[in-house]
Amino acid sequence: MASTQSSSVPSRGGGGGDGEKRLEALALDKVAEAADAVASAACAGEVVRAVHAVASLLFPVDSATVAGTVEEPFRSQIIEAATLSNDERDSWRCAFYQGPAFPTMSKILLGNVAMKWLRKIHASARNEIYDSFFVKGPPVEVIQALIPALSEKEDSKEDHQTFFSNLERLLILCLLDNKGVFQIVAEFASSNKHGDGIVNPDKTIFISRVAQLLTSVPDKARLGASAALTSPSFFKDVISQLLAGAEAVTVEFAADKDANEHCALSSMFHFLGEVLSRVSRRGSIGILVAELIPRIRNHLHRCVPADYKAISPNMIEHVSQSQFWFNMVEAMRDQHSVERLTEELLRQLASNHISDGEAYWILWTLFNQSFKRLTVMRNADITAAIGLCLEKLTKKELETTKDVLNSILQGVSCRLESPIDLIRKMASAIALTFSKVVDPKNPLYLDENCCENVDWEFGILSPKEIKAPLQAVESRKKPKTCENKRNAGEKKEKAIKHDIPGVRAKIVEIKLDHDQRSDTATSEQFEEEFDRESMNTDASGDSSLEPYDLSDDDTDLQKKFSHLSDLAAALRKPDDSDGVDNALSSAEKFVRASPDELRHNSGDLVRALVHVRCSDVAMEGEEDSAEEKRQKALIALLVTCPFESLDVLTKLLYSSSVDVSQRILIIDAMTEAAQELAEAKIVKTEHHGNLITDTSPSWLVPSNRGPPGAGPWREVSEPGTLLSWSHRYEREVPSRSGQVKSGKSRKWGLGKAKDLQVGWSRNRFPLYAAAFMLPVMQGYDKRSHGVDLLNRDFVVLGKLIYMLGVCMKSMAMHPEASALAPALLDMIRSRDVSLHAEAYVRRSVLFAASCILVSLHPSYVASSLIEGNKDISTGLEWIRTWALQVAESDPDTECMSMAMTCLRLHSEMALQTSRALESADHSKAGRALPSKLDSIIIPFGNMM
């Protein structure tokens, strides 16, 4: 019979913080006892008894069932184990999972127990004492133990299979079968239930990490893993739990008057937004929308009373669950994910044949609050909506609408001044449509590219064609023509394609009706002109039908540029696509010719190249070629005129007048230019008959003195060495008496000289390194209009850090590297950078850190240590400790691999620095060294 023991268990109530710490230490002691027992176990019964001793402190274990699976004496020991009260178990469980005990125990359970003993333990005992540690524990703590273990590697194939099959079984059990995601949502909400409304920054980072771990499961699962862990199945279950949990928590806190609803829900919505954004980024947005639509439809049906046929905003707002749906989209801070969600939502609403009325209220529920609060949601999308509405208004209806006239005029005026070409196009389109409503006979064309029929998708919304209903397609027999009001030539247009099933939407039908009317008028005019032309061609002879040779007809029409100012002017004429293409083709060659005017006009040409829109002027399928020409021209400007070009580019990088693609273009061009400037071109010259003969040997190579018969010196390489700080030479020497093999004499040199040639490097980059690096390292963490590198534009941040690493590598062993390394170390040591949620940024930081280690000369590091320069020593020590942390715990496998490489480079740097310090120590007698030299400790010396 089990005994009850309560007096021996410490209470958490009286001791406060000290009591909690003491209980955490006791829990860790119990884990240590279990670990020793498992390590020395000779049979499965001993392992069951040891694990049961810990499990019985935390969970209500059925000891009789567990004891029935083992032999004596372990059976009696299990039955006689102490039984605790529910309150005591709660105290133990809290101390166990909040302290270091659970991470330690999980390694024992997933490692030694799972690999060697789990298959020998009965299933009933396994459920009671093994699975309970994961199933009955806090899911937030459990996934931090299980998911990173998916990246571990086992030695043998059998061990690998055993380890991962058990790990995947536990993940399915905890997250899917036991609704772990639902519990995580509730846990994040309850932790802030009575908070002060302020979300701790550390907690924000923690929530992001949990979301990252959760959404990385399909990526880390094996190829042969259960189908439940593949992306479609896993994300479907996760999203279903997430939405259900978040909606339930919102209702619960709306009814609890004592809870701080804003603070509690802020953590929950942050987790919701992080998970949904990462699911979208992983290409599973369709799964999200498929779960979303039926849930929100059911919610809207609950909002409408049975005796009402129509729905109104007040009906939706008065239902407590609506607060969840109002805030869901706003919680997704990643604008790209919101755009993907919107596009997929519209596509599935169409394919599911949702009525226009119901689709409207679904969209209103999801986006109404975001439109009111977020400015970025109101820029491109609403322009199209206003334009489509204006097309259907009459002049009388427009005059009766209050304040619309002034609002439209102010909006158009404001957007026409924007530096962004797309926004100016939108303003011109609204102005044209508005003028046609006011005075149809005098349309207002503010842009040369304005057409009679406005493309409200502006060529950016989707790469697929909008297919019309079948009955409407049959009536569209003749193609539309878009005649430019200022240019008589035909314009090549790109069709915007988008799939919509046949029996679909009224909006598309309205557009088709408008197009049919314009097509009818166009076709009648075309037939009349064709009849007149056909009468005139009857009199022509057969010779008029002979084809002309037009193969090279346009070669003489290409403009030859004679000045850089003409080149820049041509790039600013988007209506002349041939001229822009010709300017892009000529730019690099013109710049590399280094004309005298280059220094004065380089800045203007740089701006023109950055702002030109290659996708607008290039022919379909040749956009990449135009982009390549533009980038090569920018690289040529940076190489031939660095200071002037960098002055413009570094200011444009953080300007609100450029978008993300232009920022990436600037960084890529700077990266390529730095490598080109640093390309080590060795210039060699031979000595041919000097007027004064120098018979003394060169100081670059060892002396020719030696025993008779010794061969010439030759340089040899050292395989396996990461960094080469000197050059080694060897030569054949005659064997001594009694010696069978030829000996070798070696001597170290400082450089190489072959065949009496003298060489030097033409690395020009160190001269411009500061201009490349320092300006862009200022302001990267500032958030302004259109610039958010630390969050939304993390790809730009990653590329920027990579570029800075390339710059350091391009001036390796140069004194300038020592001057700029501290500034770069300060940047990458920032928590916002080194602990960034995106693995892409962390990889860039690891690359930059490795480049710093390669670029610094060991003699400089040694002198910094001797002189007490803490900037370098603390920076290098941070690289070591941070790389160790990444190698041990980062969920991204590539980051772990790069961290190991970084540590290897660090150890090589430590070795070479210690040699430099030893040589300095030997020279103490020759010169006075600081008295503190003996007390200097190399911060990374333990890596050698």
Side-chain angles (χ1 to χ4, degrees):
M1 180 176 178
S3 60
T4 302
Q5 179 182 354
S6 60
S7 59
S8 61
V9 180
S11 173
R12 293 170 60 90
D18 294 337
E20 294 176 0
K21 293 295 182 183
R22 187 168 67 255
L23 199 56
E24 289 178 4
L26 286 174
L28 190 60
D29 290 340
K30 292 291 185 182
V31 172
E33 293 174 6
D36 293 339
V38 170
S40 59
C43 64
E46 191 169 356
V47 175
V48 171
R49 182 199 59 78
V51 177
H52 174 270
V54 181
S56 61
L57 299 174
L58 311 174
F59 319 111
V61 178
D62 186 353
S63 298
T65 301
V66 177
T69 64
V70 298
E71 303 293 335
E72 292 290 353
F74 309 114
R75 179 181 300 173
S76 300
Q77 295 173 354
I78 292 173
I79 293 176
E80 294 172 358
T83 303
L84 307 182
S85 66
N86 290 335
D87 291 340
E88 290 170 335
R89 273 198 299 264
D90 289 342
S91 298
W92 274 101
R93 186 161 56 246
C94 188
F96 180 81
Y97 284 101
Q98 289 184 356
F102 174 66
T104 307
M105 189 67 182
S106 65
K107 291 182 179 179
I108 299 170
L109 295 174
L110 297 175
N112 195 358
V113 174
M115 304 282 285
K116 190 174 181 181
W117 300 110
L118 194 58
R119 70 186 69 178
K120 300 177 183 178
I121 298 175
H122 195 273
S124 59
R126 184 191 66 189
N127 294 338
E128 288 289 331
I129 64 170
Y130 184 88
D131 293 351
S132 295
F133 283 98
F134 304 99
V135 175
K136 297 181 180 179
V140 172
E141 302 296 332
V142 170
I143 66 173
Q144 292 183 83
L146 293 179
I147 298 176
L150 289 171
S151 302
E152 296 182 6
K153 297 181 180 179
E154 298 302 325
D155 297 334
S156 66
K157 185 176 181 181
E158 183 179 359
D159 289 345
H160 183 274
Q161 176 69 21
T162 303
F163 179 80
F164 283 100
S165 60
N166 177 61
L167 201 60
E168 292 158 0
R169 179 186 69 86
L170 289 173
L171 278 171
I172 294 173
L173 199 61
C174 298
L175 290 177
L176 307 184
D177 297 344
N178 202 42
K179 304 298 181 185
V181 180
F182 190 103
Q183 297 179 49
I184 292 175
V185 173
E187 184 175 343
F188 280 138
S190 62
S191 63
N192 278 14
K193 187 172 183 179
H194 301 285
D196 57 1
I198 301 174
V199 181
N200 190 340
D202 291 336
K203 185 170 185 180
T204 301
I205 297 173
F206 174 72
I207 292 174
S208 299
R209 172 165 172 76
V210 172
Q212 179 190 15
L213 285 172
L214 181 63
T215 53
S216 67
V217 170
D219 298 336
K220 295 179 179 179
R222 297 174 302 154
L223 290 177
S226 170
L229 296 181
T230 58
S231 292
S233 177
F234 182 77
F235 284 142
K236 183 178 186 298
D237 205 316
V238 165
I239 292 169
S240 177
Q241 293 184 50
L242 190 67
L243 296 177
E247 190 174 13
V249 165
T250 306
V251 175
E252 177 187 347
F253 281 92
D256 189 351
K257 298 181 179 179
D258 297 330
N260 187 334
E261 183 179 354
H262 172 73
C263 181
L265 296 182
S266 61
S267 295
M268 186 269 289
F269 275 116
H270 180 62
F271 177 68
L272 174 76
E274 286 284 331
V275 174
L276 296 184
S277 297
R278 293 176 187 277
V279 168
S280 173
R281 287 279 184 177
R282 282 172 165 79
S284 299
I285 192 66
I287 300 172
L288 167 59
V289 175
E291 286 290 318
L292 193 68
I293 291 177
R295 287 180 179 275
I296 196 170
R297 289 184 72 189
N298 292 336
H299 170 68
L300 291 174
H301 292 160
R302 289 196 301 265
C303 294
V304 183
D307 54 344
Y308 279 79
K309 294 184 179 180
I311 190 171
S312 66
N314 290 335
M315 293 180 182
I316 302 175
E317 291 169 350
H318 283 100
V319 179
S320 56
Q321 290 99 322
S322 297
Q323 293 304 316
F324 162 69
W325 297 108
F326 290 163
N327 288 279
M328 193 198 79
V329 173
E330 194 172 352
M332 298 175 65
R333 302 299 177 88
D334 181 16
Q335 188 60 28
H336 172 76
S337 300
V338 174
E339 292 174 2
R340 293 287 307 278
L341 170 68
T342 308
E343 183 180 351
E344 184 64 27
L345 184 63
L346 292 172
R347 183 178 293 117
Q348 291 198 24
L349 286 174
S351 62
N352 292 335
H353 309 297
I354 307 296
S355 66
D356 285 353
E358 193 173 10
Y360 168 80
W361 287 113
I362 290 174
L363 296 173
W364 183 90
T365 304
L366 289 175
F367 295 99
N368 179 54
Q369 183 166 298
S370 298
F371 276 132
K372 290 180 179 178
R373 294 184 181 180
L374 303 178
T375 305
V376 70
M377 296 278 294
R378 300 196 295 265
N379 286 337
D381 298 327
I382 289 196
T383 302
I386 292 174
L388 290 171
C389 292
L390 282 175
E391 286 183 342
K392 306 307 170 188
L393 283 177
T394 63
K395 183 178 180 180
K396 185 176 181 180
E397 291 172 335
L398 185 62
E399 291 173 348
T400 58
T401 309
K402 185 179 179 181
D403 296 333
V404 169
L405 181 62
N406 291 333
S407 299
I408 290 178
L409 292 176
Q410 290 176 6
V412 169
S413 300
C414 178
R415 282 162 176 75
L416 284 174
E417 298 174 358
S418 172
I420 302 174
D421 182 62
L422 177 61
I423 293 181
R424 293 197 302 270
K425 285 184 179 179
M426 291 178 175
S428 301
I430 292 292
L432 173 61
T433 307
F434 180 74
S435 67
K436 287 159 65 175
V437 176
V438 176
D439 187 0
K441 295 182 179 179
N442 295 308
L444 179 62
Y445 292 94
L446 298 179
D447 189 346
E448 294 181 353
N449 293 327
C450 278
C451 298
E452 183 70 22
N453 298 315
V454 179
D455 172 22
W456 291 112
E457 292 171 351
F458 301 104
I460 61 169
L461 297 186
S462 174
K464 297 180 181 178
E465 180 178 8
I466 297 181
K467 294 183 179 177
L470 294 176
Q471 65 270 23
V473 173
E474 292 176 358
S475 64
R476 295 169 62 101
K477 299 297 184 181
K478 304 244 189 296
K480 292 191 298 182
T481 60
C482 174
E483 184 176 350
N484 193 316
K485 294 300 178 180
R486 298 190 182 182
N487 296 328
E490 294 182 355
K491 292 291 183 180
K492 295 182 179 178
E493 299 179 354
K494 298 179 182 177
I496 308 303
K497 304 187 176 180
H498 183 66
D499 289 324
I500 291 183
V503 206
R504 180 52 201 143
K506 295 180 179 178
I507 293 178
V508 178
E509 292 172 2
I510 292 171
K511 293 178 70 176
L512 286 173
D513 291 338
H514 178 274
D515 294 341
Q516 288 171 4
R517 289 194 296 269
S518 62
D519 283 349
T520 303
T522 304
S523 61
E524 291 175 356
Q525 180 182 1
F526 174 77
E527 289 173 359
E528 293 177 0
E529 293 179 356
F530 179 78
D531 290 339
R532 291 195 299 268
E533 291 178 0
S534 60
M535 293 175 63
N536 295 332
T537 56
D538 289 340
S540 61
D542 294 339
S543 59
S544 62
L545 300 177
E546 295 179 0
Y548 291 97
D549 183 11
L550 301 176
S551 56
D552 295 326
D553 193 52
D554 61 342
T555 53
D556 296 333
L557 301 178
Q558 294 182 0
K559 182 178 179 180
K560 303 295 183 181
F561 298 101
S562 57
H563 297 285
L564 283 175
S565 57
D566 298 337
L567 202 65
L571 291 171
R572 290 194 173 95
K573 295 181 179 179
D575 56 320
D576 183 9
S577 58
D578 293 334
V580 174
D581 185 63
N582 188 18
L584 288 173
S585 302
S586 308
E588 182 190 9
K589 188 181 295 184
F590 204 149
V591 170
R592 295 218 182 250
S594 298
D596 295 337
E597 59 179 332
L598 179 61
R599 186 175 299 276
H600 306 289
N601 293 292
S602 57
D604 187 45
L605 185 56
V606 165
R607 291 189 189 89
L609 285 167
V610 170
H611 286 294
V612 68
R613 293 287 179 180
C614 297
S615 59
D616 294 342
V617 298
M619 295 182 63
E620 188 172 1
E622 296 183 2
E623 294 88 348
D624 292 341
S625 176
E627 291 285 356
E628 184 180 358
K629 293 174 184 176
R630 175 167 69 155
Q631 182 169 334
K632 286 183 176 181
L634 282 173
I635 295 170
L637 282 164
L638 284 166
V639 171
T640 55
C641 205
F643 289 125
E644 292 78 6
S645 301
L646 285 169
D647 183 56
V648 175
L649 284 178
T650 52
K651 292 176 181 176
L652 283 175
L653 183 61
Y654 298 128
S655 171
S656 60
S657 65
V658 298
D659 57 22
V660 171
S661 64
Q662 290 167 314
R663 295 186 220 282
I664 292 175
L665 167 71
I666 292 171
I667 295 173
D668 288 345
M670 292 175 67
T671 305
E672 295 292 332
Q675 291 174 317
E676 183 175 341
L677 285 168
E679 185 178 2
K681 298 179 180 178
I682 304 299
V683 179
K684 298 182 179 180
T685 58
E686 295 187 10
H687 295 282
H688 298 288
N690 295 330
L691 293 176
I692 301 176
T693 303
D694 185 6
T695 57
S696 62
S698 171
W699 64 274
L700 296 171
V701 294
S703 171
N704 286 326
R705 289 177 297 177
W713 289 101
R714 66 176 182 272
E715 183 183 0
V716 293
S717 61
E718 292 184 272
T721 303
L722 292 171
L723 301 172
S724 180
W725 313 113
S726 59
H727 301 274
R728 192 178 69 173
Y729 299 88
E730 66 179 26
R731 66 175 176 177
E732 298 289 339
V733 296
S735 58
R736 300 172 183 172
S737 58
Q739 186 179 15
V740 177
K741 295 184 178 179
S742 300
K744 292 184 178 179
S745 175
R746 297 176 178 171
K747 190 168 183 178
W748 294 91
L750 297 175
K752 59 182 178 181
K754 297 181 179 179
D755 302 326
L756 295 178
Q757 294 180 343
V758 180
W760 62 88
S761 170
R762 279 191 174 178
N763 185 353
R764 297 189 293 138
F765 180 72
L767 177 63
Y768 312 108
F772 268 82
M773 298 177 65
L774 293 179
V776 299
M777 285 193 284
Q778 300 174 0
Y780 73 93
D781 55 347
K782 300 294 188 296
R783 186 173 183 178
S784 59
H785 179 67
V787 184
D788 186 12
L789 266 61
L790 290 178
N791 295 293
R792 182 193 63 200
D793 304 332
F794 68 89
V795 175
V796 180
L797 177 62
K799 280 187 168 289
L800 175 65
I801 297 172
Y802 175 81
M803 184 272 289
L804 293 171
V806 170
C807 289
M808 289 299 302
K809 191 176 179 181
S810 299
M811 52 179 169
M813 302 299 119
H814 194 279
E816 193 70 14
S818 307
L820 293 173
L824 181 54
L825 279 170
D826 286 343
M827 176 182 176
I828 64 175
R829 285 169 61 187
S830 168
R831 289 177 59 87
D832 292 336
V833 176
S834 61
L835 300 180
H836 200 281
E838 294 292 340
Y840 179 76
V841 177
R842 300 196 300 275
R843 292 174 201 157
S844 299
V845 175
L846 286 165
F847 173 78
S850 301
C851 291
I852 291 174
L853 294 173
V854 172
S855 64
L856 293 178
H857 199 287
S859 63
Y860 168 75
V861 179
S863 64
S864 298
L865 291 173
I866 294 172
E867 297 167 2
N869 185 348
K870 294 185 179 180
D871 290 340
I872 290 296
S873 60
T874 56
L876 295 177
E877 172 64 8
W878 174 83
I879 289 178
R880 183 186 70 84
T881 55
W882 178 70
L884 278 172
Q885 179 184 352
V886 173
E888 291 174 356
S889 61
D890 197 283
D892 184 72
T893 54
E894 188 172 346
C895 284
M896 297 172 67
S897 175
M898 293 180 70
M900 294 302 298
T901 303
C902 189
L903 288 171
R904 194 170 77 250
L905 290 172
H906 194 284
S907 64
E908 178 71 13
M909 167 67 78
L911 175 63
Q912 300 297 343
T913 303
S914 64
R915 289 176 177 173
L917 285 172
E918 288 173 2
S919 63
D921 191 37
H922 287 310
S923 62
K924 273 185 179 181
R927 58 183 178 90
L929 291 176
S931 59
K932 59 183 179 180
L933 174 65
D934 294 332
S935 64
I936 291 178
I937 299 175
I938 302 177
F940 40 79
N942 58 354
M943 286 302 299
M944 293 188 295

